[in-house]
Amino acid sequence: MRFTIHQNSRNGGRPSNQDRVAYSYSKQSLLMVLADGMGGYLHGDVAAQLAVKMLTDAFQRKAQPLLDDVQDFLLSEINKIQDAIHQLAHNQGLEETPKTTLVVAVLQNNRLVCAHIGDSRLYHFRQHQCIFTTEDHSVVQALLKQGTLAPNDVAAHPDRNKVYNCLGGDIPPTIDISPTRRLHSDDTIMLCSDGLWSYLSADRMLEILDSGRGMPHFINSMLDIAEQLGGAQGDNLSAIGVQWEDILDQDLTISGLATALDQARTIIQPLPDEGLSELSHDDIERAIAEINVAIQRSKR
Amino acid sequence: MHANQNSALPPGYQLQGYEIKKLLSSGGFSFVYIARDQQEQTTVAVKEYLPNILALRQSGDQVRVPTNETMAGFRFGLKCFFEEGRALANINHPNIVRVLNFFRANETVYMVMQYERGKSLQECILSKNEPMAEPKLRSIFSQLLNGLREVHAQKLLHLDIKPANIYIRRDGSPVLLDFGSARMALSEETSQLPPSYTPGFASPEQYRHHKELGPWSDVYSVGASMYACLLQASPQAADQRMKNDQLTSAVKLGKGIYSPQLLAVIDSCLALDPMDRPPSVFALQKSLMEEVDYPTNDGWFNRIAAFLNQDIIK
């Protein structure tokens, strides 16, 4: 099993980040998970953290090195999270249970199984096309399906952020498990929160992916764009992407850990919002002059 | 927003006293061209500041910075570009890329560097089916450390040493490139610049607070680069190692390929705790220059032969 993976999460315009994203892998199986703690509720980050932690822990215990039954694993572990959130709310005397969305993918034996609850999404890209996305459990998605809302009116709809299915609610979640999907070499699987997909169409994502500059570039560029478009009011935003390589590898112990050398790219973290002193034209001229003086001085 | 579709300057373009010959590479924040210095009649490398997500150049030569928000980002990246220029301008060393000129044109800035013929260490590693020979590895890295000592003497840290940033000249000598991540050590200004790193080569401290950074952070990256010569891939990233260290020790991975002494040196550079790494770049360099018996070809004659062959690069 060989893959290139990258994940990142940012606050956007919010003071705290309630998104959580993680992955875990064995020699033959990979789990990716993303949870968007719901901001309207207290402790959304607690629910998201719990979901991600419980799934990766369970995966580490059970993928030895493959999960026997992926569907069964996802259903039972996700139901345990629902119970754990309620237990936690009860133990801490919280008035309201913390809530989160969830999207999780398991990749093994060149197959993908995905489960989701709410409006965090999975995208499956192959050969310059988006061949699959999960369907949001959101009010606008339901209206779209009924035909009572036009696609162009989604962005302006007052309920565009409302989901009717989540983890941590009073009603047990409906766990939406996708049919098993085949993975080809060079397929890309990407999970993201609504803070990202609200600002980038699948076509725009493909354009960035097709620049062929690797996973870190793909994920970080998308976050950069969504973050800029979200501006000061922007939601938390997160994404994790994997490029799958269907290559037989003799030395499995290393391939799971090492990244191909030519995939090693410098990641530039987000620019800090504060402490950014403006460079004036004079500053630029002065910096250039200083550098040229230094060049002359160090010439021997 | 289609901002990452910046177009490069075309061959034949006249940029002050330089004629653009061809595009050499494009990174996240810049283009690098091969150009002709028309006055000196020499070939140079010209680096153009052009962040792919921020500035716009669909056609022509002028860089347009469209909005106020992107302007802030553009200026910020520009600060980093100046930082690289300042870092390099003060250094004149055979193992460090030499900056020749720095100027402003087309609403952006350009850095002119000495052009070196050869290929990157990354290409050298990937072009072979076996780990790099030990004498060659020792030769490259002990020379490279001369350059790194000079960098540190200027109170600078490189912070992005990796095989792709180490260039091997045709005579086998290394040149350290890309000071885009270089930072003034022990300077308050450090906090002003966004951190950047390459997974697999960045030290554990680079994922934490910048106050923990020091020459020992570059030592980790040197160790990771030597490890990459052996593994022919990037080692496990330090942030993952801090959670669950699954890096196979060089001593284990390279048994019978490199001398135990070299393998122990590589492992010590890759220690997660900076205190467990070689105490200085000089100490590391000394241990790379030690006389040892190589696992194979340990005859006296073969060792001389290995030394004679070490500088030959196709």
Side-chain angles (χ1 to χ4, degrees):
Chain A
M1 185 178 75
R2 225 187 236 252
F3 56 86
T4 312
I5 195 161
H6 190 75
Q7 62 177 17
N8 206 342
S9 181
R10 299 188 189 166
N11 283 19
R14 304 280 165 85
S16 67
N17 193 343
Q18 305 199 321
D19 284 4
R20 292 293 184 274
V21 55
Y23 63 90
S24 180
Y25 54 84
S26 68
K27 282 181 189 174
Q28 292 177 35
S29 185
L30 166 68
L31 172 113
M32 300 193 285
V33 52
L34 186 148
D36 178 356
M38 288 158 75
Y41 300 88
L42 284 167
H43 312 295
D45 56 334
V46 175
Q49 177 75 27
L50 199 62
V52 162
K53 183 85 175 47
M54 284 181 69
L55 273 170
T56 48
D57 285 355
F59 178 83
Q60 297 251 313
R61 281 196 311 274
K62 297 195 172 165
Q64 300 282 359
L66 287 165
L67 291 175
D68 295 335
D69 183 332
V70 179
Q71 266 93 357
D72 183 58
F73 168 84
L74 291 172
L75 278 175
S76 64
E77 296 305 327
I78 294 171
N79 280 318
K80 281 184 202 165
I81 300 169
Q82 170 76 6
D83 295 344
I85 294 175
H86 279 272
Q87 190 65 45
L88 180 133
H90 176 77
N91 291 351
Q92 302 196 353
L94 302 178
E95 270 182 35
E96 207 171 4
T97 55
K99 294 172 179 58
T100 183
T101 71
L102 182 75
V103 58
V104 46
V106 173
L107 293 82
Q108 61 177 34
N109 285 336
N110 286 319
R111 283 180 171 76
L112 161 74
V113 179
C114 136
H116 80 289
I117 300 165
D119 66 353
S120 295
R121 288 185 185 172
L122 174 141
Y123 289 79
H124 186 172
F125 299 108
R126 175 180 297 160
Q127 292 187 337
H128 321 298
Q129 283 187 333
C130 177
I131 58 170
F132 173 77
T133 52
T134 50
E135 204 165 81
D136 303 337
H137 305 140
S138 67
V139 175
V140 286
Q141 185 62 42
L143 293 174
L144 271 176
K145 236 180 155 177
Q146 285 171 14
T148 46
L149 184 73
N152 288 341
D153 299 334
V154 169
H157 197 279
D159 289 337
R160 65 187 177 281
N161 290 324
K162 288 204 179 143
V163 296
Y164 56 77
N165 185 18
C166 68
L167 265 173
D170 295 334
I171 314 163
T174 307
I175 304 167
D176 199 336
I177 297 200
S178 71
T180 302
R181 305 188 56 77
R182 269 201 153 278
L183 285 170
H184 292 187
S185 192
D186 270 344
D187 278 7
T188 297
I189 304 296
M190 195 270 293
L191 279 57
C192 64
S193 59
D194 62 335
L196 184 98
W197 64 250
S198 298
Y199 296 106
L200 280 104
S201 64
D203 284 344
R204 188 73 189 93
M205 294 174 182
L206 271 168
E207 274 176 45
I208 301 167
L209 181 63
D210 287 346
S211 70
R213 315 245 319 262
M215 273 303 113
H217 175 265
F218 173 54
I219 296 297
N220 292 327
S221 295
M222 288 195 302
L223 289 172
D224 285 341
I225 292 167
E227 195 175 30
Q228 278 194 21
L229 294 174
Q233 305 301 317
D235 194 359
N236 299 152
L237 60 165
S238 313
I240 175 167
V242 68
Q243 190 175 12
W244 190 254
E245 284 180 61
D246 178 11
I247 292 171
L248 283 177
D249 206 277
Q250 290 103 5
D251 208 349
L252 285 164
T253 48
I254 291 168
S255 67
L257 297 171
T259 319
L261 255 192
D262 47 5
Q263 292 286 350
R265 288 182 194 283
T266 301
I267 298 164
I268 314 285
Q269 292 287 61
L271 305 171
D273 301 326
E274 296 156 24
L276 198 157
S277 49
E278 269 291 296
L279 277 180
S280 70
H281 278 253
D282 284 351
D283 292 335
I284 294 174
E285 289 300 342
R286 197 159 47 235
I288 290 174
E290 269 175 39
I291 291 168
N292 279 310
V293 167
I295 292 170
Q296 294 309 318
R297 202 189 316 135
S298 61
K299 256 187 204 166
R300 279 170 210 155
Chain B
M1 205 165 89
H2 294 256
N4 58 354
Q5 296 175 349
N6 284 317
S7 56
L9 295 174
Y13 183 85
Q14 287 294 325
L15 181 68
Q16 300 212 349
Y18 306 92
E19 186 189 329
I20 300 294
K21 291 291 183 196
K22 70 169 190 182
L23 182 66
L24 195 60
S25 67
S26 70
F29 281 76
S30 58
F31 283 128
V32 180
Y33 306 93
I34 293 182
R36 187 82 186 156
D37 182 334
Q38 285 158 329
Q39 200 184 342
E40 303 281 328
Q41 289 296 307
T42 50
T43 303
V44 292
V46 176
K47 189 169 180 174
E48 177 183 48
Y49 172 65
L50 199 58
N52 61 16
I53 335 165
L54 296 174
L56 267 176
R57 186 170 62 200
Q58 299 284 4
S59 60
D61 52 11
Q62 298 299 305
V63 174
R64 271 185 291 277
V65 183
T67 64
N68 276 336
E69 305 119 69
T70 50
M71 188 64 176
F74 182 83
R75 288 270 165 92
F76 203 89
L78 194 55
K79 271 194 162 178
C80 300
F81 195 80
F82 283 146
E83 207 61 31
E84 178 178 9
R86 282 203 188 91
L88 288 170
N90 286 304
I91 300 175
N92 188 353
H93 189 279
N95 301 116
I96 303 294
V97 64
R98 177 74 184 139
V99 176
L100 304 169
N101 193 9
F102 207 99
F103 62 90
R104 197 174 180 185
N106 299 337
E107 292 299 310
T108 187
V109 287
Y110 294 86
M111 181 157 67
V112 183
M113 292 169 291
Q114 199 161 314
Y115 177 66
E116 307 280 2
R117 278 169 228 280
K119 60 183 179 183
S120 73
L121 179 60
Q122 175 173 308
E123 291 170 271
C124 295
I125 294 170
L126 293 176
S127 66
K128 295 277 169 56
N129 292 322
E130 53 187 17
M132 176 178 287
E134 176 162 350
K136 184 166 153 187
L137 183 151
R138 284 178 181 268
S139 158
I140 288 175
F141 283 92
S142 42
Q143 290 180 70
L144 187 78
L145 293 177
N146 277 330
L148 188 59
R149 282 168 61 195
E150 178 67 25
V151 173
H152 291 169
Q154 298 283 340
K155 296 195 166 50
L156 286 165
L157 301 174
H158 187 285
L159 300 182
D160 200 16
I161 297 174
K162 57 179 175 181
N165 283 343
I166 300 168
Y167 208 70
I168 311 296
R169 294 191 186 97
R170 282 177 171 179
D171 69 0
S173 62
V175 192
L176 190 53
L177 306 180
D178 206 336
F179 281 63
S181 303
R183 297 285 181 270
M184 292 296 287
L186 313 167
S187 142
E188 278 308 303
E189 261 185 66
T190 326
S191 57
Q192 296 263 324
L193 295 168
S196 62
Y197 58 89
T198 302
F201 298 97
S203 63
E205 331 50 293
Q206 277 167 271
Y207 294 90
R208 299 195 294 256
H209 201 270
H210 66 83
K211 282 192 175 142
E212 296 174 37
L213 296 175
W216 47 86
S217 311
D218 282 335
V219 166
Y220 183 94
S221 305
V222 168
S225 301
M226 292 194 287
Y227 190 93
C229 291
L230 173 65
L231 178 67
Q232 299 188 279
S234 310
Q236 191 190 13
D239 59 334
Q240 291 175 30
R241 290 187 62 203
M242 285 186 282
K243 285 179 217 144
N244 180 11
D245 192 354
Q246 298 194 49
L247 187 80
T248 310
S249 68
V251 167
K252 214 163 134 192
L253 183 72
K255 198 171 182 218
I257 303 172
Y258 292 160
S259 66
Q261 189 261 2
L262 175 62
L263 295 169
V265 169
I266 295 175
D267 282 333
S268 73
C269 292
L270 284 169
L272 288 173
D273 185 346
M275 296 299 283
D276 295 336
R277 294 179 207 151
S280 69
V281 174
F282 184 58
L284 172 59
Q285 193 180 25
K286 253 174 65 182
S287 54
L288 286 179
M289 290 160 83
E290 254 173 53
E291 279 286 313
V292 292
D293 287 330
Y294 300 122
T296 50
N297 302 345
D298 53 352
W300 194 81
F301 178 78
N302 283 326
R303 273 169 58 190
I304 301 238
F307 256 102
L308 290 175
N309 282 327
Q310 67 185 331
D311 285 342
I312 297 169
I313 292 179
K314 277 179 216 155

